[in-house]
């Protein structure tokens, strides 16, 4: 059976917008949200769980035999081994809990590839969508990565992980070295949103140790917008999906970051 992935993406968008409305109901009263702690610097709220529950219901209505991996509940292994949803119901939970921009991200995997995905920012009402081979879009407008090639004009996104969580020691020394060369470094606070910002040219590149569920849709956005995606040593998805050591960038920023990470010993993956 031939699947209509355009129609499926439309239903993903509808689910994300519905989850956005739900989470905005909590967000408007962010000072009163009860915060749960999964670990050091790793927070969760009822809004995360409610958002994922809603999204799961909408996605399983498309095909109940497909599998799903989310952030807040155990994975579901469906009868169809080929299709799997990846869902982060609130990416940037810390941002959300402190009244800052956050995103909802959904992607659909078919085998070893992401066929379509979205990143939705309910605060700004920005819907980033991508279809493999079909381009990347922001609220319907086609996207291209930044053309900036001069190091002094690069604007690079990253995250500020707790040093004890970093798989690769020296994170803050590397950040300091990068910051001294480029035009700017920004911490967006959501891996999915950071990837979307690369796709639309607000960042020239982004690197972090992050999860694949958070970034699968954003990675597709960047690829479809003409960017390059590898791990820190130039390797493909089979590596960065496991290690989380991710670079998404325009060609010039990608080359710059690969050089910056050349001395970091790679993990086997």
């Amino acid at each position: 059976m031939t699947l209509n992935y355009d129609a499926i993406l439309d239903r993903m968008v509808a689910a994300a917008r519905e989850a956005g409305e739900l989470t905005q109901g909590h967000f408007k009263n962010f000072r009163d949200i009860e915060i749960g702690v999964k670990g050091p610097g790793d927070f969760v709220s009822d809004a995360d769980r409610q958002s994922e529950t809603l999204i799961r219901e909408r996605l399983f209505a498309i095909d109940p035999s497909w599998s799903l991996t989310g952030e807040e509940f155990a994975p579901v292994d469906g009868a169809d081994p080929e299709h799997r949803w990846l869902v982060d119901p609130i990416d940037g939970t810390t941002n959300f809990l402190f009244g800052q921009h956050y995103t909802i991200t959904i992607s659909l995997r078919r085998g070893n590839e992401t066929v379509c995905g979205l990143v939705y920012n309910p605060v700004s009402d920005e819907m980033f969508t991508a279809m493999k081979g079909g381009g990347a879009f922001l609220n319907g407008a086609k996207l291209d990565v930044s053309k900036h090639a001069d190091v002094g004009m690069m604007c690079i996104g990253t995250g500020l992980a707790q040093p004890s969580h970093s798989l690769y020691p020296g994170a803050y020394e590397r950040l300091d070295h990068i910051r001294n060369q480029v035009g700017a470094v920004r911490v967006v606070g959501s891996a999915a949103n950071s990837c979307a910002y690369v796709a639309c040219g607000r960042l020239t590149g982004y690197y972090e140790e992050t999860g694949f569920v958070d970034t699968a849709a954003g990675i597709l956005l960047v690829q479809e917008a003409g960017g390059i995606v590898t791990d820190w040593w130039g390797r493909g998805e089979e590596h960065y999906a496991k290690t989380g050591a991710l670079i998404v960038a325009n060609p010039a920023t990608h080359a710059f970051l690969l050089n910056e990470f050349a001395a970091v010993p790679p993990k086997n993956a």
Side-chain angles (χ1 to χ4, degrees):
M1 180 180 67
T2 302
L3 293 171
N4 184 343
Y5 288 109
D6 288 307
I8 289 170
L9 181 57
D10 287 343
R11 293 181 68 174
M12 293 163 62
V13 167
R17 288 195 180 280
E18 194 174 352
E21 184 176 353
L22 183 155
T23 55
Q24 280 289 281
H26 293 271
F27 182 80
K28 291 173 183 176
N29 302 298
F30 73 90
R31 293 177 183 272
D32 300 322
I33 295 174
E34 185 174 339
I35 301 173
V37 180
K38 293 193 282 188
D42 190 8
F43 304 122
V44 68
S45 72
D46 285 342
D48 295 80
R49 292 182 281 261
Q50 291 173 14
S51 178
E52 183 166 325
T53 297
L54 185 155
I55 293 169
R56 282 177 175 236
E57 290 175 354
R58 302 300 181 265
L59 297 182
F60 282 131
I62 296 172
D63 192 320
S65 72
W66 291 358
S67 302
L68 186 148
T69 299
E71 287 282 311
E72 307 307 332
F73 301 105
V76 176
D77 294 322
D80 179 349
E82 187 176 32
H83 288 90
R84 178 175 292 272
W85 301 105
L86 302 181
V87 177
D88 192 340
I90 296 179
D91 186 54
T93 297
T94 301
N95 278 15
F96 174 80
L97 294 172
F98 287 90
Q100 302 174 41
H101 286 233
Y102 65 97
T103 56
I104 295 164
T105 182
I106 306 171
S107 57
L108 177 60
R109 299 277 290 175
R110 181 183 61 202
N112 293 321
E113 66 177 5
T114 303
V115 293
C116 55
L118 66 83
V119 175
Y120 179 48
N121 180 337
V123 182
S124 59
D125 193 26
E126 292 184 322
M127 180 68 73
F128 296 86
T129 58
M131 182 77 65
K132 187 172 180 63
F137 299 86
L138 167 54
N139 292 342
K142 196 172 188 305
L143 299 180
D144 294 289
V145 295
S146 169
K147 299 297 190 289
H148 284 304
D150 181 71
V151 172
M153 291 296 294
M154 291 176 181
C155 182
I156 297 176
T158 190
L160 300 179
Q162 293 188 353
S164 61
H165 284 182
S166 178
L167 294 172
Y168 306 97
Y172 285 90
E173 290 80 2
R174 283 191 298 277
L175 174 60
D176 191 48
H177 191 255
I178 289 168
R179 178 64 190 92
N180 286 336
Q181 301 175 73
V182 303
V185 171
R186 293 290 180 264
V187 177
V188 175
S190 157
N193 214 19
S194 298
C195 291
Y197 279 12
V198 173
C200 71
R202 294 175 188 167
L203 296 172
T204 63
Y206 163 70
Y207 76 91
E208 194 171 1
E209 296 172 53
T210 186
F212 191 59
V213 170
D214 305 351
T215 56
I219 286 168
L220 182 62
L221 282 165
V222 173
Q223 291 169 330
E224 291 295 323
I228 300 174
V229 181
T230 68
D231 74 358
W232 294 356
W233 304 275
R235 304 179 302 184
E237 181 183 297
E238 68 274 15
H239 296 282
Y240 62 70
K242 296 178 181 177
T243 67
L246 180 69
I247 297 173
V248 300
N250 72 8
T253 306
H254 181 264
F256 168 77
L257 288 172
L258 279 185
N259 185 65
E260 289 297 307
F261 289 115
V264 180
K267 298 287 184 180
N268 293 324

